[in-house]
Amino acid sequence: MTKIQENLLLGIWATALVATAGSLYFSEVRGYIPCELCWIQRIFMYPLVIVAGVAYFQKNVRIAVTTGILSGIGGLISLYHYGIQKLAFLSDSAPSCGQVPCTGQYINWFGFITIPFLALSAFILIAGMSIYLLKTLKEEK
C-alpha cells in the first residue's frame, strides 16, 4: 500500500468521524431533534467510521468500493434534504417527516449552510477520496 492510499483511507475515516461527531453534537448537546431524513443520512454515515477505521488498520484499500457506495447514497439523500430546505418548489411538495419537519433549519449559517449541507459536504469528500483511492488501485495493476 502506498502512502497516498494510506492517507486517503485515513482521510475517509477522519471525515466520517468528524461528521458523526458533528451530528451527535447537534442532537445530544444542542438538543436538535433529527428528522427522518437526518436519521437516514446517519444510517449511511455512522458505519463509515467503523468500516473505514478497520480498513485503515488492516491496510485494505478495496474498502473504497463500500465507502463510495455508502457515501454516494447518503449524498443523494443529503442533496434531496438540502433541496427541500432551500428550493420552494421542493419544499411545497415535501412529505411530512413525522415529529420534526424535514424542511426545518436548526442552523442557517451564511444563508446556505444547514445540517444537510454539512452532511452533503462530508459525503462528497468521502466519495471523492473513495474514487481517487479506486483510481490508485487500477494504476497499480
Side-chain angles (χ1 to χ4, degrees):
M1 177 162 70
T2 67
K3 191 66 174 169
I4 290 174
Q5 291 171 331
E6 188 175 341
N7 289 338
L8 286 167
L9 280 175
L10 185 60
I12 291 168
W13 174 77
T15 303
L17 182 66
V18 168
T20 298
S23 76
L24 290 172
Y25 168 77
F26 283 130
S27 63
E28 302 304 316
V29 176
R30 300 289 297 264
Y32 301 157
I33 299 168
C35 70
E36 287 187 22
L37 285 176
C38 288
W39 277 113
I40 294 169
Q41 291 166 74
R42 288 176 175 204
I43 288 169
F44 288 95
M45 183 61 73
Y46 287 12
L48 285 170
V49 176
I50 296 168
V51 168
V54 170
Y56 176 74
F57 286 108
Q58 291 181 340
K59 309 294 187 218
N60 179 6
V61 293
R62 290 177 149 157
I63 202 66
V65 173
T66 303
T67 58
I69 291 170
L70 287 173
S71 61
I73 295 169
L76 289 174
I77 295 164
S78 295
L79 183 63
Y80 172 70
H81 193 184
Y82 186 65
I84 65 172
Q85 286 185 334
K86 294 296 184 179
L87 302 173
F89 73 93
L90 284 177
S91 62
D92 292 342
S93 63
S96 174
C97 271
Q99 184 181 11
V100 177
C102 292
T103 55
Q105 299 178 38
Y106 286 116
I107 65 168
N108 191 13
W109 300 330
F110 307 112
F112 72 96
I113 299 174
T114 63
I115 294 172
F117 180 87
L118 294 171
L120 177 60
S121 300
F123 282 126
I124 288 171
L125 281 171
I126 293 168
M129 287 185 279
S130 298
I131 291 167
Y132 190 67
L133 192 54
L134 287 171
K135 185 180 175 207
T136 65
L137 273 174
K138 288 188 183 209
E139 289 173 355
E140 286 180 350
K141 292 182 180 183

